[in-house]
């Protein structure tokens, strides 16, 4: 039940981020990404997809450099499972906006 709420919240945040992209709401979106980011280590595939989609929406709305700052903190973590998640986010960030990085 808790996972369904997280999935729904991430989907709503994705749509909000894409809806207000370019309107100057970066401070509110930064507040929302702070709620989304701890969920990157979930194990449910549906929640993982929802979290990744919301991070992609934040990439569009906030810009790839802001998301890269969140991503850099774990790319060289000693634990392999942590590194794998962060590199997955970095790879999708790189695919989505190579020219801006």
């Amino acid at each position: 039940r808790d996972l369904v709420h997280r999935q729904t919240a991430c989907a709503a945040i994705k749509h909000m981020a894409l809806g207000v992209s370019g309107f100057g709401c970066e401070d509110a979106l930064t507040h929302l990404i702070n709620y989304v980011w701890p969920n990157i280590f979930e194990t449910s595939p549906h929640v993982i997809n929802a979290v990744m989609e919301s991070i992609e929406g934040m990439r569009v709305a906030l810009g790839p450099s802001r998301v890269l700052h969140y991503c850099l903190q774990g790319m060289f973590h000693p634990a392999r499972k942590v590194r794998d998640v962060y590199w997955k986010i970095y790879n999708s960030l790189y695919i989505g906006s190579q020219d801006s990085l």
Side-chain angles (χ1 to χ4, degrees), residues 11-45:
I13 288 173
K14 175 188 77 166
H15 288 288
M16 283 192 294
L18 292 174
V20 300
S21 178
F23 288 166
C25 300
E26 285 82 13
D27 53 346
L29 292 176
T30 303
H31 180 70
L32 290 176
I33 197 173
N34 288 331
Y35 284 114
V36 170
W37 198 263
N39 295 307
I40 62 174
F41 299 112
E42 283 294 329
T43 56
S44 170

Side-chain angles (χ1 to χ4, degrees), residues 29-68:
L29 292 176
T30 303
H31 180 70
L32 290 176
I33 197 173
N34 288 331
Y35 284 114
V36 170
W37 198 263
N39 295 307
I40 62 174
F41 299 112
E42 283 294 329
T43 56
S44 170
H46 297 289
V47 177
I48 291 171
N49 287 338
V51 168
M52 291 298 290
E53 287 177 0
S54 65
I55 291 174
E56 289 293 318
M58 292 294 180
R59 176 187 59 82
V60 172
L62 292 174
S65 62
R66 182 85 55 100
V67 179
L68 180 66

